[in-house]
């Protein structure tokens, strides 16, 4: 759960980082981190640990997409913004969830130790 909160918060904070005006490096790093921790959670603790990680990540991303009391928001609505690459927020929210789904769907045999 704590890993999901950490990765969800970090990914939400960096997903809009763009380099050379076209490379969404923040989104790429966030999704790679999501996948790495998902695979680690699945391998180390099984599906239950992965579920806890997924709940932490998804809830954090959804909470951080809400408007703050001052009106600021971390995941922008592409219809209400003029920033370059306005769909990065949707890409972050949807792709991170899809990565978690794929981690759940991987065969259990991939995560069994060979010495057993």
């Amino acid at each position: 759960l704590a890993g999901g909160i950490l990765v969800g918060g970090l990914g939400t904070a960096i997903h809009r980082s763009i380099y050379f005006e076209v490379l969404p490096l923040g989104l790429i790093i966030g999704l790679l981190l999501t996948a790495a921790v998902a695979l680690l959670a699945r391998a180390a603790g099984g599906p239950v640990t992965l579920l806890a990680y997924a709940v932490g990540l998804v809830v954090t991303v959804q909470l951080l997409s809400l408007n703050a009391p001052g009106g600021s928001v971390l995941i922008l609505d592409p219809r209400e913004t003029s920033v370059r690459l306005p769909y990065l927020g949707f890409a972050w929210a949807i792709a991170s969830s899809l990565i978690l789904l794929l981690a759940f769907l991987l065969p259990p045999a991939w995560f069994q130790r060979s010495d057993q």
Side-chain angles (χ1 to χ4, degrees):
L1 188 63
I5 293 169
L6 180 67
V7 172
L10 181 64
T12 302
I14 68 169
H15 80 274
R16 291 190 295 179
S17 299
I18 300 171
Y19 291 90
F20 306 114
E21 298 198 21
V22 293
L23 180 65
L25 195 57
L27 178 65
I28 293 167
I29 291 171
L31 293 176
L32 287 174
L33 184 61
T34 299
V37 177
L39 292 175
L40 178 67
R42 175 80 190 265
V48 174
T49 304
L50 179 58
L51 179 63
Y53 169 68
V55 167
L57 189 139
V58 171
V59 168
T60 301
V61 169
Q62 294 305 312
L63 286 176
L64 291 177
S65 69
L66 300 174
N67 286 334
S72 64
V73 65
L74 292 174
I75 297 182
L76 302 175
D77 184 349
R79 297 168 293 172
E80 299 175 4
T81 185
S82 61
V83 299
R84 191 179 233 3
L85 302 174
Y87 290 97
L88 287 178
F90 284 169
W92 163 243
I94 293 169
S96 61
S97 297
L98 289 175
I99 287 171
L100 294 171
L101 178 64
L102 288 175
F104 272 114
L105 296 177
L106 291 175
W110 288 11
F111 301 101
Q112 292 176 352
R113 296 188 338 185
S114 61
D115 60 344
Q116 293 181 344

